[in-house]
Amino acid sequence: MANTKQAAKRAKQTAKSRSANMGLRTTLRTAIKKVKAAIASGDAKAAQAALAENVSTIDRIADKKIIHKNKASRHKSRLAQQVKALAGRA
């Protein structure tokens, strides 16, 4: 337990921000899964729509520094690459 008022306040703030960050991280994972599910379905138009819809979610979470901007870019790039490959096959 915290020994000072400052440490107690910091512990409360950390717990609150951790809770919020976990929720945002869950949102990120869900967004990525939605795009992957659309890609797995084999429908190129649905996959493109899912990607366009979820790219902003990924960017928003990176802007809040929940994940690093390069990690967000890497996710977007790989998903876009898969969608493009799917469109090329169809």
Side-chain angles (χ1 to χ4, degrees):
M1 188 61 204
N3 291 326
T4 63
K5 282 186 179 181
Q6 177 185 7
K9 180 179 180 179
R10 196 67 218 154
K12 280 172 47 178
Q13 288 176 330
T14 301
K16 188 175 180 180
S17 69
R18 181 174 181 273
S19 176
N21 290 346
M22 282 173 31
L24 289 169
R25 196 168 285 120
T26 300
T27 303
L28 171 73
R29 289 189 191 116
T30 303
I32 292 170
K33 284 177 189 173
K34 284 179 185 176
V35 178
K36 286 187 176 182
I39 292 167
S41 73
D43 186 3
K45 289 209 183 279
Q48 287 173 337
L51 179 65
E53 184 180 320
N54 290 299
V55 161
S56 62
T57 302
I58 296 170
D59 283 333
R60 190 172 66 246
I61 290 170
D63 287 342
K64 293 180 181 180
K65 297 189 168 102
I66 305 303
I67 61 169
H68 196 275
K69 62 184 172 115
N70 290 357
K71 182 174 181 172
S73 293
R74 185 173 65 242
H75 279 299
K76 292 188 305 182
S77 174
R78 287 180 181 170
L79 290 171
Q81 196 175 26
Q82 291 173 359
V83 169
K84 186 175 179 183
L86 182 65
R89 275 186 269 155

Coordinates of all heavy atoms in Angstrom, one line a residue:
M1 N 0.8 -1.2 0.0 CA 0.0 0.0 0.0 C 0.9 1.2 0.0 O 2.0 1.2 0.5 CB -0.9 0.0 1.2 CG -2.0 1.0 1.3 SD -3.1 0.9 -0.2 CE -3.7 2.5 -0.3
A2 N 0.3 2.3 -0.5 CA 1.1 3.6 -0.6 C 1.4 4.2 0.8 O 0.6 4.1 1.7 CB 0.3 4.6 -1.5
N3 N 2.6 4.8 0.9 CA 3.0 5.4 2.2 C 2.6 6.8 2.3 O 2.6 7.4 3.4 CB 4.5 5.2 2.4 CG 4.9 3.7 2.6 OD1 4.1 3.0 3.2 ND2 6.0 3.3 2.1
T4 N 2.4 7.5 1.1 CA 2.2 8.9 1.2 C 0.9 9.2 0.4 O 0.4 8.4 -0.4 CB 3.3 9.7 0.5 OG1 3.4 9.3 -0.9 CG2 4.7 9.4 1.2
K5 N 0.4 10.4 0.6 CA -0.8 10.8 -0.1 C -0.6 10.9 -1.6 O -1.4 10.5 -2.4 CB -1.3 12.2 0.3 CG -2.0 12.2 1.6 CD -2.6 13.6 1.9 CE -3.3 13.7 3.2 NZ -3.8 15.1 3.4
Q6 N 0.6 11.3 -2.0 CA 1.0 11.4 -3.4 C 1.0 10.1 -4.0 O 0.5 9.9 -5.1 CB 2.4 12.1 -3.5 CG 2.9 12.2 -4.9 CD 4.3 12.7 -5.0 OE1 5.0 12.9 -4.0 NE2 4.8 12.9 -6.2
A7 N 1.6 9.1 -3.3 CA 1.7 7.7 -3.9 C 0.3 7.1 -4.0 O 0.0 6.4 -4.9 CB 2.6 6.9 -3.0
A8 N -0.6 7.4 -3.0 CA -1.9 6.9 -3.0 C -2.7 7.4 -4.2 O -3.4 6.7 -4.9 CB -2.6 7.2 -1.7
K9 N -2.6 8.7 -4.4 CA -3.2 9.4 -5.6 C -2.7 8.8 -6.9 O -3.5 8.5 -7.8 CB -3.0 10.9 -5.5 CG -3.7 11.6 -6.7 CD -3.5 13.1 -6.6 CE -4.2 13.8 -7.7 NZ -4.0 15.2 -7.7
R10 N -1.4 8.6 -7.0 CA -0.8 8.1 -8.2 C -1.3 6.7 -8.5 O -1.6 6.3 -9.6 CB 0.7 8.1 -8.0 CG 1.5 7.9 -9.3 CD 1.3 9.1 -10.2 NE 1.2 8.6 -11.5 CZ 0.6 9.2 -12.6 NH1 0.1 10.4 -12.4 NH2 0.6 8.6 -13.7
A11 N -1.5 5.9 -7.4 CA -2.0 4.5 -7.5 C -3.4 4.5 -8.1 O -3.8 3.7 -9.0 CB -1.9 3.8 -6.2
K12 N -4.2 5.4 -7.6 CA -5.6 5.5 -8.0 C -5.6 6.0 -9.5 O -6.4 5.4 -10.3 CB -6.4 6.5 -7.2 CG -6.9 6.0 -5.9 CD -7.5 7.0 -4.9 CE -8.5 7.9 -5.5 NZ -9.0 8.9 -4.5
Q13 N -4.8 6.9 -9.9 CA -4.8 7.4 -11.3 C -4.3 6.3 -12.2 O -4.8 6.1 -13.3 CB -3.8 8.6 -11.4 CG -4.3 9.9 -10.8 CD -3.3 11.0 -10.8 OE1 -2.1 10.8 -10.8 NE2 -3.8 12.2 -10.9
T14 N -3.3 5.6 -11.8 CA -2.8 4.5 -12.6 C -3.8 3.4 -12.8 O -4.0 2.9 -14.0 CB -1.5 3.9 -11.9 OG1 -0.6 4.9 -11.7 CG2 -0.9 2.8 -12.7
A15 N -4.6 3.1 -11.8 CA -5.6 2.1 -11.9 C -6.7 2.5 -12.9 O -7.2 1.7 -13.7 CB -6.2 1.7 -10.6
K16 N -7.1 3.8 -12.8 CA -8.1 4.3 -13.7 C -7.6 4.4 -15.1 O -8.4 3.9 -16.0 CB -8.4 5.7 -13.2 CG -9.6 6.3 -13.9 CD -10.0 7.7 -13.3 CE -11.2 8.3 -14.0 NZ -11.6 9.6 -13.4
S17 N -6.4 4.8 -15.4 CA -5.9 4.9 -16.7 C -5.7 3.5 -17.3 O -5.9 3.2 -18.5 CB -4.6 5.7 -16.8 OG -3.6 5.1 -16.2
R18 N -5.2 2.6 -16.5 CA -5.0 1.2 -16.9 C -6.4 0.6 -17.4 O -6.4 -0.1 -18.4 CB -4.4 0.3 -15.8 CG -4.2 -1.1 -16.2 CD -3.4 -1.9 -15.1 NE -3.2 -3.2 -15.6 CZ -4.0 -4.2 -15.4 NH1 -5.2 -4.1 -14.8 NH2 -3.7 -5.4 -15.8
S19 N -7.4 0.8 -16.6 CA -8.7 0.3 -17.0 C -9.2 0.9 -18.4 O -9.7 0.2 -19.2 CB -9.7 0.7 -15.9 OG -11.0 0.3 -16.3
A20 N -9.0 2.2 -18.5 CA -9.4 2.8 -19.8 C -8.5 2.3 -21.0 O -9.0 2.0 -22.0 CB -9.2 4.3 -19.7
N21 N -7.2 2.1 -20.7 CA -6.3 1.6 -21.8 C -6.6 0.2 -22.2 O -6.5 -0.2 -23.3 CB -4.8 1.7 -21.3 CG -4.4 3.2 -21.2 OD1 -5.0 4.1 -21.7 ND2 -3.3 3.4 -20.5
M22 N -7.0 -0.6 -21.2 CA -7.4 -2.0 -21.5 C -8.6 -2.0 -22.4 O -8.7 -2.8 -23.3 CB -7.6 -2.8 -20.2 CG -6.3 -3.2 -19.5 SD -6.5 -4.0 -17.9 CE -8.1 -4.8 -17.9
G23 N -9.5 -1.2 -22.1 CA -10.7 -1.1 -23.0 C -10.4 -0.7 -24.4 O -10.9 -1.3 -25.4
L24 N -9.5 0.3 -24.5 CA -9.1 0.7 -25.9 C -8.3 -0.4 -26.6 O -8.5 -0.5 -27.8 CB -8.3 2.0 -25.8 CG -9.0 3.3 -25.4 CD1 -8.1 4.4 -25.0 CD2 -10.0 3.7 -26.5
R25 N -7.5 -1.1 -25.9 CA -6.7 -2.1 -26.5 C -7.6 -3.3 -27.0 O -7.4 -3.9 -28.1 CB -5.7 -2.7 -25.5 CG -4.6 -3.5 -26.1 CD -3.4 -3.8 -25.2 NE -2.6 -2.6 -25.0 CZ -2.4 -2.1 -23.8 NH1 -2.9 -2.5 -22.7 NH2 -1.6 -1.0 -23.8
T26 N -8.7 -3.5 -26.2 CA -9.7 -4.5 -26.6 C -10.4 -4.0 -27.9 O -10.6 -4.8 -28.8 CB -10.7 -4.7 -25.5 OG1 -10.1 -5.1 -24.4 CG2 -11.8 -5.7 -25.9
T27 N -10.7 -2.7 -28.0 CA -11.3 -2.1 -29.2 C -10.4 -2.3 -30.4 O -10.9 -2.6 -31.5 CB -11.6 -0.6 -29.0 OG1 -12.4 -0.5 -27.8 CG2 -12.3 0.0 -30.2
L28 N -9.1 -2.1 -30.2 CA -8.1 -2.3 -31.3 C -8.2 -3.7 -31.8 O -8.2 -4.0 -33.0 CB -6.7 -1.9 -30.8 CG -5.6 -2.3 -31.7 CD1 -5.6 -1.3 -32.9 CD2 -4.3 -2.3 -31.0
R29 N -8.1 -4.7 -30.9 CA -8.1 -6.1 -31.3 C -9.3 -6.5 -32.0 O -9.3 -7.2 -33.0 CB -7.9 -7.0 -30.0 CG -6.5 -6.9 -29.4 CD -6.3 -7.9 -28.4 NE -5.1 -7.7 -27.6 CZ -5.0 -7.4 -26.3 NH1 -6.1 -7.3 -25.6 NH2 -3.9 -7.2 -25.7
T30 N -10.5 -6.0 -31.5 CA -11.7 -6.2 -32.2 C -11.8 -5.7 -33.6 O -12.2 -6.4 -34.5 CB -12.9 -5.6 -31.4 OG1 -12.9 -6.2 -30.0 CG2 -14.2 -6.0 -32.0
A31 N -11.2 -4.5 -33.8 CA -11.2 -3.9 -35.1 C -10.4 -4.7 -36.1 O -10.8 -4.9 -37.2 CB -10.6 -2.4 -35.0
I32 N -9.2 -5.2 -35.6 CA -8.3 -6.0 -36.4 C -9.0 -7.3 -36.8 O -9.0 -7.8 -37.9 CB -7.0 -6.2 -35.7 CG1 -6.2 -4.9 -35.7 CG2 -6.2 -7.3 -36.5 CD1 -5.0 -4.9 -34.8
K33 N -9.7 -7.9 -35.8 CA -10.4 -9.2 -36.0 C -11.5 -9.0 -37.0 O -11.8 -9.9 -37.8 CB -11.0 -9.7 -34.7 CG -9.9 -10.4 -33.9 CD -10.5 -10.8 -32.5 CE -9.4 -11.3 -31.6 NZ -9.9 -11.6 -30.3
K34 N -12.2 -7.9 -37.0 CA -13.3 -7.6 -38.0 C -12.8 -7.6 -39.4 O -13.4 -8.2 -40.3 CB -14.0 -6.3 -37.7 CG -14.9 -6.3 -36.5 CD -15.5 -4.9 -36.3 CE -16.4 -4.9 -35.1 NZ -16.9 -3.5 -34.8
V35 N -11.6 -7.0 -39.6 CA -11.1 -6.9 -41.0 C -10.6 -8.3 -41.4 O -10.8 -8.8 -42.5 CB -9.9 -5.9 -41.0 CG1 -9.3 -5.9 -42.4 CG2 -10.4 -4.5 -40.6
K36 N -9.9 -9.0 -40.4 CA -9.5 -10.4 -40.8 C -10.6 -11.3 -41.1 O -10.5 -12.2 -42.0 CB -8.6 -10.9 -39.6 CG -7.3 -10.3 -39.5 CD -6.4 -11.0 -38.5 CE -5.0 -10.4 -38.5 NZ -4.1 -11.1 -37.5
A37 N -11.7 -11.1 -40.4 CA -12.9 -12.0 -40.6 C -13.5 -11.7 -42.0 O -13.9 -12.6 -42.8 CB -14.0 -11.8 -39.6
A38 N -13.5 -10.4 -42.4 CA -14.0 -10.0 -43.7 C -13.0 -10.6 -44.8 O -13.5 -11.0 -45.9 CB -14.1 -8.5 -43.8
I39 N -11.7 -10.6 -44.6 CA -10.8 -11.2 -45.5 C -11.0 -12.7 -45.6 O -11.0 -13.2 -46.7 CB -9.3 -10.8 -45.1 CG1 -9.1 -9.3 -45.2 CG2 -8.3 -11.6 -45.9 CD1 -7.8 -8.9 -44.6
A40 N -11.2 -13.3 -44.5 CA -11.4 -14.8 -44.5 C -12.7 -15.2 -45.2 O -12.8 -16.3 -45.8 CB -11.4 -15.3 -43.1
S41 N -13.7 -14.3 -45.2 CA -15.0 -14.6 -45.9 C -14.8 -14.7 -47.4 O -15.6 -15.3 -48.1 CB -16.0 -13.6 -45.5 OG -15.8 -12.3 -46.2
G42 N -13.7 -14.0 -47.9 CA -13.4 -14.1 -49.3 C -14.1 -13.0 -50.2 O -14.0 -12.9 -51.4
D43 N -14.9 -12.1 -49.5 CA -15.6 -11.1 -50.2 C -14.7 -9.8 -50.2 O -14.5 -9.2 -49.2 CB -16.9 -10.8 -49.5 CG -17.8 -9.8 -50.3 OD1 -17.4 -9.3 -51.3 OD2 -18.9 -9.4 -49.7
A44 N -14.2 -9.5 -51.4 CA -13.3 -8.3 -51.5 C -13.9 -7.0 -51.1 O -13.3 -6.2 -50.5 CB -12.7 -8.3 -52.9
K45 N -15.1 -6.8 -51.6 CA -15.8 -5.5 -51.3 C -16.1 -5.4 -49.8 O -15.8 -4.3 -49.2 CB -17.1 -5.4 -52.1 CG -16.9 -5.2 -53.5 CD -18.1 -4.4 -54.1 CE -18.0 -4.3 -55.6 NZ -17.1 -3.2 -56.0
A46 N -16.5 -6.4 -49.1 CA -16.7 -6.4 -47.7 C -15.4 -6.2 -46.9 O -15.4 -5.4 -46.0 CB -17.4 -7.7 -47.2
A47 N -14.3 -6.8 -47.4 CA -13.0 -6.6 -46.8 C -12.5 -5.2 -46.9 O -12.0 -4.6 -46.0 CB -12.0 -7.6 -47.4
Q48 N -12.7 -4.6 -48.1 CA -12.3 -3.2 -48.3 C -13.1 -2.3 -47.4 O -12.6 -1.3 -46.8 CB -12.5 -2.8 -49.8 CG -11.4 -3.4 -50.7 CD -11.7 -3.1 -52.1 OE1 -12.8 -2.9 -52.5 NE2 -10.6 -3.2 -52.9
A49 N -14.4 -2.5 -47.3 CA -15.3 -1.7 -46.4 C -14.9 -1.8 -45.0 O -14.8 -0.8 -44.2 CB -16.7 -2.1 -46.6
A50 N -14.6 -3.0 -44.5 CA -14.2 -3.3 -43.2 C -12.8 -2.6 -42.9 O -12.7 -2.0 -41.8 CB -14.1 -4.8 -42.9
L51 N -11.9 -2.6 -43.8 CA -10.6 -2.0 -43.6 C -10.8 -0.5 -43.5 O -10.3 0.1 -42.6 CB -9.7 -2.3 -44.8 CG -8.3 -1.7 -44.7 CD1 -7.5 -2.2 -43.5 CD2 -7.5 -1.9 -46.0
A52 N -11.6 0.1 -44.4 CA -11.8 1.6 -44.4 C -12.5 2.0 -43.1 O -12.1 3.1 -42.6 CB -12.7 2.0 -45.6
E53 N -13.4 1.2 -42.6 CA -14.1 1.5 -41.4 C -13.2 1.4 -40.2 O -13.3 2.2 -39.2 CB -15.2 0.5 -41.2 CG -16.2 0.7 -40.1 CD -17.3 -0.3 -40.0 OE1 -17.8 -0.7 -41.1 OE2 -17.6 -0.7 -38.9
N54 N -12.2 0.5 -40.1 CA -11.5 0.2 -38.9 C -10.1 0.9 -38.9 O -9.4 0.9 -37.9 CB -11.3 -1.3 -38.7 CG -12.7 -1.9 -38.3 OD1 -13.2 -1.5 -37.3 ND2 -13.2 -2.8 -39.1
V55 N -9.6 1.4 -40.0 CA -8.4 2.1 -40.1 C -8.4 3.3 -39.1 O -7.4 3.6 -38.4 CB -8.0 2.6 -41.5 CG1 -7.0 3.7 -41.5 CG2 -7.5 1.4 -42.3
S56 N -9.5 4.0 -39.1 CA -9.6 5.2 -38.2 C -9.5 4.8 -36.8 O -9.0 5.5 -35.9 CB -10.9 6.0 -38.5 OG -12.0 5.2 -38.2
T57 N -10.1 3.6 -36.4 CA -10.0 3.1 -35.0 C -8.6 2.9 -34.7 O -8.1 3.2 -33.6 CB -10.9 1.8 -34.9 OG1 -12.2 2.1 -35.3 CG2 -10.8 1.3 -33.5
I58 N -7.9 2.2 -35.5 CA -6.4 1.9 -35.3 C -5.7 3.2 -35.1 O -4.9 3.4 -34.2 CB -5.8 1.1 -36.4 CG1 -6.6 -0.3 -36.5 CG2 -4.3 0.9 -36.2 CD1 -6.2 -1.1 -37.7
D59 N -5.9 4.2 -36.0 CA -5.2 5.5 -35.9 C -5.5 6.2 -34.6 O -4.7 6.8 -33.9 CB -5.6 6.4 -37.0 CG -4.8 6.0 -38.3 OD1 -3.7 5.4 -38.2 OD2 -5.4 6.3 -39.4
R60 N -6.8 6.2 -34.2 CA -7.3 6.9 -33.0 C -6.6 6.3 -31.8 O -6.1 7.0 -30.9 CB -8.8 6.8 -32.9 CG -9.4 7.7 -31.8 CD -10.9 7.7 -31.8 NE -11.4 6.4 -31.5 CZ -12.1 5.6 -32.3 NH1 -12.3 6.0 -33.6 NH2 -12.6 4.4 -31.9
I61 N -6.4 5.0 -31.7 CA -5.8 4.4 -30.6 C -4.3 4.6 -30.6 O -3.7 4.8 -29.5 CB -6.1 2.9 -30.6 CG1 -7.6 2.7 -30.2 CG2 -5.3 2.1 -29.6 CD1 -8.2 1.4 -30.4
A62 N -3.7 4.7 -31.7 CA -2.3 5.1 -31.8 C -2.1 6.6 -31.4 O -1.1 6.9 -30.7 CB -1.7 4.9 -33.2
D63 N -3.0 7.4 -31.7 CA -2.9 8.8 -31.3 C -2.9 9.0 -29.8 O -2.3 9.9 -29.2 CB -4.0 9.7 -31.9 CG -3.8 9.9 -33.4 OD1 -2.7 9.8 -33.9 OD2 -4.8 10.3 -34.1
K64 N -3.7 8.1 -29.1 CA -3.8 8.1 -27.7 C -2.6 7.4 -27.0 O -2.6 7.3 -25.8 CB -5.1 7.5 -27.2 CG -6.3 8.3 -27.6 CD -7.6 7.7 -27.2 CE -8.7 8.5 -27.7 NZ -10.0 8.0 -27.2
K65 N -1.6 7.0 -27.8 CA -0.4 6.3 -27.3 C -0.7 5.0 -26.6 O 0.0 4.6 -25.7 CB 0.4 7.3 -26.5 CG 0.9 8.4 -27.3 CD 1.9 9.3 -26.6 CE 2.5 10.2 -27.6 NZ 2.1 11.6 -27.5
I66 N -1.8 4.3 -27.0 CA -2.0 3.0 -26.4 C -1.1 2.0 -27.1 O -0.6 1.1 -26.4 CB -3.5 2.6 -26.6 CG1 -4.5 3.6 -26.1 CG2 -3.8 1.2 -26.0 CD1 -4.3 4.0 -24.6
I67 N -0.9 2.2 -28.4 CA 0.1 1.4 -29.1 C 1.0 2.5 -29.8 O 0.6 3.6 -30.1 CB -0.5 0.4 -30.1 CG1 -1.3 1.1 -31.2 CG2 -1.2 -0.7 -29.4 CD1 -1.7 0.2 -32.3
H68 N 2.2 2.0 -30.2 CA 3.1 2.9 -30.9 C 2.6 3.2 -32.3 O 1.9 2.3 -32.9 CB 4.5 2.3 -31.0 CG 5.6 3.3 -31.3 ND1 5.9 3.5 -32.6 CD2 6.4 4.0 -30.6 CE1 6.9 4.4 -32.7 NE2 7.2 4.7 -31.4
K69 N 2.8 4.3 -32.9 CA 2.3 4.7 -34.2 C 2.9 3.7 -35.3 O 2.2 3.4 -36.3 CB 2.7 6.1 -34.6 CG 4.1 6.5 -34.6 CD 4.4 8.0 -34.9 CE 5.8 8.2 -34.7 NZ 6.5 8.7 -35.9
N70 N 4.1 3.3 -35.1 CA 4.7 2.3 -36.1 C 4.0 1.0 -36.0 O 3.8 0.3 -37.1 CB 6.2 2.1 -35.8 CG 7.0 3.3 -36.1 OD1 6.5 4.3 -36.6 ND2 8.3 3.3 -35.8
K71 N 3.6 0.6 -34.9 CA 2.8 -0.7 -34.7 C 1.5 -0.5 -35.4 O 1.0 -1.4 -36.1 CB 2.6 -1.1 -33.3 CG 1.9 -2.4 -33.1 CD 1.8 -2.8 -31.7 CE 1.1 -4.2 -31.6 NZ 1.1 -4.8 -30.3
A72 N 0.8 0.6 -35.3 CA -0.5 0.9 -35.9 C -0.3 0.8 -37.5 O -1.1 0.3 -38.2 CB -1.0 2.2 -35.5
S73 N 0.8 1.5 -37.9 CA 1.1 1.5 -39.4 C 1.3 0.1 -39.9 O 0.9 -0.3 -41.0 CB 2.3 2.4 -39.7 OG 2.0 3.7 -39.4
R74 N 2.0 -0.7 -39.1 CA 2.3 -2.1 -39.5 C 1.0 -2.9 -39.6 O 0.8 -3.6 -40.6 CB 3.3 -2.7 -38.5 CG 3.7 -4.1 -38.9 CD 4.8 -4.6 -37.9 NE 4.3 -4.8 -36.6 CZ 4.8 -4.2 -35.5 NH1 5.7 -3.3 -35.6 NH2 4.2 -4.5 -34.3
H75 N 0.1 -2.7 -38.7 CA -1.2 -3.4 -38.7 C -1.9 -3.0 -40.0 O -2.5 -3.9 -40.7 CB -2.0 -3.2 -37.5 CG -1.6 -4.0 -36.3 ND1 -1.7 -5.4 -36.3 CD2 -1.2 -3.7 -35.1 CE1 -1.3 -5.8 -35.1 NE2 -1.0 -4.8 -34.4
K76 N -2.0 -1.7 -40.2 CA -2.8 -1.2 -41.3 C -2.2 -1.7 -42.6 O -2.9 -2.1 -43.6 CB -2.8 0.3 -41.3 CG -3.6 0.9 -40.2 CD -3.8 2.4 -40.3 CE -2.5 3.1 -40.4 NZ -2.6 4.6 -40.4
S77 N -0.9 -1.7 -42.7 CA -0.2 -2.1 -43.9 C -0.4 -3.6 -44.3 O -0.8 -3.9 -45.4 CB 1.3 -1.8 -43.8 OG 2.0 -2.3 -44.9
R78 N -0.3 -4.4 -43.2 CA -0.5 -5.8 -43.5 C -1.9 -6.2 -43.8 O -2.2 -7.0 -44.7 CB -0.1 -6.6 -42.2 CG 1.5 -6.6 -42.1 CD 1.9 -7.3 -40.9 NE 3.4 -7.3 -40.7 CZ 4.1 -7.7 -39.7 NH1 3.4 -8.2 -38.6 NH2 5.4 -7.6 -39.7
L79 N -2.9 -5.5 -43.2 CA -4.3 -5.7 -43.5 C -4.6 -5.2 -44.9 O -5.3 -5.9 -45.7 CB -5.2 -5.0 -42.5 CG -5.2 -5.6 -41.1 CD1 -5.9 -4.7 -40.1 CD2 -5.8 -7.0 -41.1
A80 N -4.1 -4.1 -45.3 CA -4.3 -3.5 -46.6 C -3.7 -4.4 -47.7 O -4.3 -4.7 -48.7 CB -3.7 -2.1 -46.7
Q81 N -2.5 -5.0 -47.4 CA -1.9 -5.9 -48.3 C -2.7 -7.2 -48.5 O -2.9 -7.6 -49.7 CB -0.5 -6.3 -47.7 CG 0.5 -7.0 -48.6 CD 1.8 -7.2 -47.9 OE1 1.8 -7.3 -46.6 NE2 2.9 -7.2 -48.6
Q82 N -3.3 -7.7 -47.5 CA -4.2 -8.9 -47.6 C -5.5 -8.6 -48.3 O -5.9 -9.4 -49.2 CB -4.5 -9.4 -46.2 CG -3.3 -10.0 -45.5 CD -3.7 -10.4 -44.0 OE1 -4.7 -10.2 -43.5 NE2 -2.7 -10.9 -43.3
V83 N -6.0 -7.4 -48.1 CA -7.2 -7.0 -48.8 C -6.9 -6.8 -50.3 O -7.7 -7.3 -51.2 CB -7.8 -5.7 -48.3 CG1 -8.9 -5.1 -49.1 CG2 -8.4 -5.9 -46.9
K84 N -5.8 -6.2 -50.6 CA -5.4 -6.0 -52.0 C -5.2 -7.4 -52.7 O -5.6 -7.6 -53.8 CB -4.1 -5.2 -52.1 CG -3.7 -4.8 -53.5 CD -2.5 -3.9 -53.5 CE -2.1 -3.5 -54.9 NZ -0.9 -2.7 -54.9
A85 N -4.6 -8.3 -52.0 CA -4.4 -9.6 -52.6 C -5.7 -10.3 -52.8 O -5.8 -11.0 -53.9 CB -3.5 -10.5 -51.6
L86 N -6.6 -10.1 -51.9 CA -7.9 -10.7 -52.1 C -8.7 -10.1 -53.3 O -9.3 -10.8 -54.1 CB -8.8 -10.5 -50.8 CG -10.2 -11.1 -50.8 CD1 -10.1 -12.6 -50.8 CD2 -10.9 -10.7 -49.5
A87 N -8.5 -8.8 -53.5 CA -9.2 -8.1 -54.6 C -8.5 -8.6 -55.9 O -9.2 -8.7 -56.9 CB -9.1 -6.6 -54.4
G88 N -7.2 -8.9 -55.9 CA -6.6 -9.4 -57.1 C -7.0 -10.7 -57.5 O -7.0 -11.1 -58.7
R89 N -7.3 -11.6 -56.5 CA -7.8 -12.9 -56.8 C -9.2 -13.0 -57.4 O -9.5 -13.8 -58.2 CB -7.7 -13.8 -55.6 CG -6.4 -14.4 -55.3 CD -6.5 -15.3 -54.1 NE -6.2 -14.6 -52.9 CZ -6.6 -14.9 -51.7 NH1 -7.3 -15.9 -51.5 NH2 -6.3 -14.1 -50.7
A90 N -10.0 -12.1 -56.9 CA -11.4 -12.1 -57.3 C -11.7 -11.6 -58.7 O -10.9 -11.1 -59.4 CB -12.2 -11.2 -56.3

